[in-house]
Amino acid sequence: MSESGSDAPVQSTRDDETAENAEQDVVAVDAYDEKEGLANRLDAHTGDGVRHRAFTCVLFDQDGNVMLAQRAARKRLWDTHWDGTVASHPVEGQTQKEATRERLEEELGITADQYDDLEVTDRFEYKRYYLDEGLEWEVCAVLQATLTDTSFDRDPDEVGGVLWADYEDIYENPRHYRQLRLCPWFEIAMRRDFEGDADPVPDGTRE
């Protein structure tokens, strides 16, 4: 039964997201996150891909637990995998902070008055393929903040579920969390964070 108490089928599908992506652009960038133009979002995530600008945000509670969000089943790439709190792509003219605030509110109903220390803590390039569905080739900014109010209201079309976990324990004991199937960009960001490699100035080195 759905959260609303209705047995009606969910209308959003993977085909819906593919169509949405085909109508959108991402910001193509070089290895240093400098804009090179715009690329169709679907083209950027298929074939050989197009390197583009992205972000992932990791929110913590006041005890240092991390808020993980499951990507909805309708997602074409890494569907049902567990991610940091939100991840997406800034549109042209939008900063990573602006895009993060927007996505936090759209996906989880978390507003800016629930945190006050949102900062870019890292930036790295990576390229990963997902089955035969496509790929991510991104220069990904990592943002972190601490929630003073942990209430949220997730959009099920975007977020399949939410859980709180011990951030250090996920890093130190990955086998304990393998059933979550973590998204690769979150795993890279977490490793860089704990191993002292995080740097908000991109160095052009691919992970």
Side-chain angles (χ1 to χ4, degrees):
M1 182 175 290
S2 70
E3 291 184 354
S4 64
S6 169
D7 292 321
V10 176
Q11 296 301 311
S12 297
T13 66
R14 287 159 60 85
D15 289 341
D16 290 338
E17 197 199 34
T18 299
E20 292 166 10
N21 289 350
E23 297 177 353
Q24 300 171 359
D25 288 333
V26 293
V27 179
V29 296
D30 64 14
Y32 302 93
D33 204 20
E34 296 293 333
K35 179 182 173 182
E36 293 189 325
L38 298 178
N40 176 266
R41 184 170 174 174
L42 188 60
D43 291 344
H45 292 88
T46 54
D48 293 329
V50 177
R51 180 172 48 208
H52 57 278
R53 182 173 294 158
F55 69 88
T56 185
C57 175
V58 184
L59 292 184
F60 299 90
D61 66 15
Q62 293 176 299
D63 294 319
N65 296 305
V66 62
M67 185 183 196
L68 301 181
Q70 185 184 41
R71 290 170 62 81
R74 83 184 191 108
K75 298 288 187 181
R76 197 174 58 84
L77 302 179
W78 283 276
D79 50 302
T80 72
H81 284 57
W82 287 83
D83 197 356
T85 313
V86 291
S88 192
H89 312 90
V91 299
E92 185 178 22
Q94 187 180 45
T95 69
Q96 279 95 341
K97 274 192 178 183
E98 290 168 343
T100 297
R101 292 186 189 280
E102 180 178 271
R103 295 308 292 170
L104 282 172
E105 186 162 0
E106 290 176 351
E107 294 189 11
L108 292 163
I110 294 174
T111 56
D113 60 351
Q114 294 178 246
Y115 54 88
D116 58 9
D117 58 349
L118 184 68
E119 296 293 341
V120 177
T121 60
D122 194 14
R123 204 180 310 253
F124 57 86
E125 180 185 354
Y126 77 98
K127 189 174 188 178
R128 293 289 189 276
Y129 289 84
Y130 180 62
L131 304 176
D132 60 351
E133 297 286 344
L135 75 159
E136 289 286 6
W137 183 10
E138 299 178 332
V139 175
C140 184
V142 182
L143 297 94
Q144 296 187 5
T146 301
L147 287 171
T148 54
D149 173 0
T150 59
S151 60
F152 64 91
D153 181 19
R154 70 179 175 90
D155 177 355
D157 278 348
E158 298 291 339
V159 180
V162 172
L163 63 82
W164 290 96
D166 186 311
Y167 188 49
E168 185 173 356
D169 194 47
I170 296 175
Y171 171 71
E172 292 183 347
N173 299 289
R175 288 176 60 85
H176 298 171
Y177 299 88
R178 63 186 181 275
Q179 74 275 15
L180 295 181
R181 300 188 301 160
L182 298 174
C183 293
W185 54 90
F186 171 72
E187 291 186 303
I188 294 169
M190 178 173 59
R191 186 185 73 240
R192 288 171 59 91
D193 195 7
F194 278 103
E195 296 180 5
D197 296 326
D199 186 348
V201 179
D203 59 12
T205 301
R206 184 175 308 156
E207 289 286 328

